[in-house]
Amino acid sequence: EVHLVESGGTLVQPGGSLRLSCAASGFTFSSDDMHWVRQVPGKGLEWVSAIGNAGDTYYSVSVKGRFSIFRDNVNNSLFLQMNSLGVGDTAMYYCARDYSGYPDSWGQGTLVTVSS
Amino acid sequence: EVVLTQSPATLSLSPGETATLSCRASQSVDTALAWYQQKPGQAPRLLIFDASNRATGIPTRFSGSGSGTDFTLTIDNVEPQDFAVYYCQQRSDWPMYTFGQGTKLEIK
């Protein structure tokens, strides 16, 4: 069974940085593309970033240049390095496994709050 | 960017009725569209991919149809556990995935 557990979310000041982690199990992590998707509480879903199994990376316009996605295939972990955070980045952040181009299995999320 | 517009924003039905949810794309996405279900406090769950294919373990009362710019998610004989928010998502404009704003299916 696919299992994804996000961590690292917390309260951070505007302009600050944060690194999110996602521990994966139950599938061959190194073979799959992975995504980060976020959701402002009470609002809709926003795709943030993706990384291919070969390490190719992709970002939404809203985070490009500020966020970096990377992976550790030895330890089955996905990361999202977030810099220059603003109040608009406040959201629940989910990691998800890709299935044929769609975020398939999702973790339960980690909450990032950007506030002074 | 492909914009996905879902309608209605809220759909009020009684258990046993049929739910019809719509998703319209601002440009053709062929059949590269998925549907998700999200319940309060939970992560989204993939229901339908490539417009009409049910994901693993999804009951047959859920079906998807459409291509190009107009898509429909149909839930036959709505059950109490189906009341949730539903989102569509396109992967045609890779890597710029986008989601619709959601349709809330509520109990009438």
Side-chain angles (χ1 to χ4, degrees):
Chain A
E1 180 187 358
V2 174
H3 196 49
L4 298 167
V5 180
E6 302 91 338
S7 61
T10 189
L11 173 65
V12 61
Q13 291 191 334
S17 297
L18 201 60
R19 178 177 293 184
L20 305 183
S21 302
C22 173
S25 60
F27 64 105
T28 306
F29 178 77
S30 59
S31 297
D32 287 340
D33 299 348
M34 297 292 295
H35 299 267
W36 287 100
V37 178
R38 68 185 179 183
Q39 184 173 36
V40 174
K43 302 297 183 181
L45 300 165
E46 180 189 10
W47 175 78
V48 172
S49 181
I51 185 166
N53 58 9
D56 42 318
T57 59
Y58 308 92
Y59 302 95
S60 68
V61 170
S62 61
V63 307
K64 194 170 186 178
R66 300 188 298 122
F67 290 12
S68 294
I69 187 172
F70 56 102
R71 63 193 299 162
D72 177 353
N73 288 338
V74 173
N75 293 300
N76 294 339
S77 294
L78 177 71
F79 302 94
L80 186 68
Q81 176 66 42
M82 305 186 295
N83 299 329
S84 302
L85 285 162
V87 294
D89 296 314
T90 294
M92 182 72 79
Y93 284 74
Y94 297 98
C95 71
R97 185 186 70 163
D98 182 274
Y99 177 77
S100 295
Y102 303 102
D104 174 10
S105 302
W106 300 57
Q108 284 305 300
T110 188
L111 183 62
V112 173
T113 304
V114 184
S115 176
S116 54
Chain B
E1 174 183 310
V2 176
V3 177
L4 299 178
T5 303
Q6 293 186 239
S7 61
T10 303
L11 182 59
S12 300
L13 293 175
S14 300
E17 294 189 294
T18 296
T20 304
L21 287 68
S22 175
C23 177
R24 176 163 290 179
S26 59
Q27 63 192 69
S28 177
V29 298
D30 195 11
T31 57
L33 187 112
W35 290 93
Y36 297 83
Q37 177 194 68
Q38 187 178 33
K39 297 179 180 179
Q42 296 186 15
R45 176 174 71 147
L46 178 66
L47 300 174
I48 302 288
F49 66 95
D50 288 345
S52 61
N53 297 292
R54 271 186 299 276
T56 302
I58 301 304
T60 56
R61 65 180 181 276
F62 291 91
S63 62
S65 64
S67 66
T69 61
D70 291 297
F71 300 86
T72 301
L73 174 69
T74 302
I75 311 172
D76 291 319
N77 190 23
V78 171
E79 297 191 4
Q81 63 267 33
D82 299 336
F83 292 97
V85 179
Y86 292 83
Y87 295 95
C88 56
Q89 175 246 323
Q90 64 81 22
R91 67 166 179 84
S92 175
D93 190 20
W94 169 259
M96 299 305 295
Y97 288 168
T98 50
F99 289 88
Q101 82 280 17
T103 290
K104 182 179 181 181
L105 177 60
E106 66 175 22
I107 299 175
K108 187 173 183 179

